[in-house]
Amino acid sequence: MQADPLFKGVVVHVGVAEWKVAEKPDALRTTLGSCVGIALYCERKGVGGLAHVLLGHPQPGKIVNKGKYARPAVQGLVQDLQREGVAAEDLRARIFGGASMFEAQNSSFLQNIGAGNVSAVKEALQELHIPLLIEDVGGTAGRTITFFLDDGRILLRANGKEKYIYKV
């Protein structure tokens, strides 16, 4: 990735099964395979959050790390954004990832992890009435996203290419 001479913030890394909240001028970054990255943004405040969801749904009674699963991760991210003064109705979502990273394996379970993760994230967003504006999901390649909170743009790196995705 080329350095952006206009970027004056700090890039905060979001690891697997984590979510983080930041505000302009900072940026949030994560790398995804079959996991799904959920970027929530409040344009009015320049505040947003990024969750890195590992799996769609937990086994019954087995939530150990809430960031690991779609519904509790989205709910936790929204709660943290609300603590920053963002109203849930001001949030807009974009999702990335959900690739089939295990295509060479002969396991339909492994091949469908990404699609199941995407479906679970979409369900969680619908339950909270958060509009999904953009998605770049599926395929067989991993992605790295950098979410800039100064204007909500996302730098998407996949398949050796990069492009900016601007707010809708």
Side-chain angles (χ1 to χ4, degrees):
M1 178 175 77
Q2 295 179 346
D4 182 343
L6 301 177
F7 179 64
K8 303 295 183 206
V10 173
V11 176
V12 178
H13 179 75
V14 179
V16 176
E18 289 185 338
W19 70 79
K20 293 186 181 171
V21 171
E23 60 186 34
K24 61 183 174 183
D26 293 342
L28 298 162
R29 177 180 294 150
T30 198
T31 299
L32 306 158
S34 58
C35 297
V36 174
I38 305 124
L40 298 181
Y41 186 59
C42 173
E43 182 177 10
R44 184 173 53 79
K45 290 190 163 260
V47 175
L50 182 63
H52 183 135
V53 172
L54 179 66
L55 294 170
H57 301 285
Q59 295 177 357
K62 295 282 184 173
I63 296 179
V64 176
N65 177 347
K66 290 184 178 183
K68 189 174 181 179
Y69 304 103
R71 181 174 288 114
V74 171
Q75 290 170 342
L77 180 55
V78 169
Q79 289 170 355
D80 283 357
L81 287 163
Q82 288 174 322
R83 284 188 200 97
E84 296 297 319
V86 175
E89 57 268 12
D90 289 340
L91 293 171
R92 302 294 178 263
R94 291 170 282 174
I95 63 173
F96 302 87
S100 293
M101 301 301 292
F102 305 100
E103 207 170 51
Q105 308 269 343
N106 283 333
S107 167
S108 63
F109 170 75
L110 289 176
Q111 290 178 10
N112 294 324
I113 288 175
N117 289 346
V118 170
S119 178
V121 165
K122 286 180 177 181
E123 288 171 16
L125 291 170
Q126 279 184 318
E127 288 172 8
L128 293 172
H129 307 289
I130 298 173
L132 176 58
L133 302 180
I134 295 170
E135 61 182 87
D136 187 292
V137 297
T140 58
R143 297 161 173 86
T144 296
I145 58 171
T146 305
F147 177 22
F148 294 90
L149 297 164
D150 57 349
D151 64 1
R153 74 191 182 281
I154 291 183
L155 177 62
L156 171 65
R157 297 180 75 201
N159 290 318
K161 298 177 184 175
E162 59 183 40
K163 67 178 178 179
Y164 280 101
I165 298 172
Y166 294 90
K167 64 185 188 289
V168 174

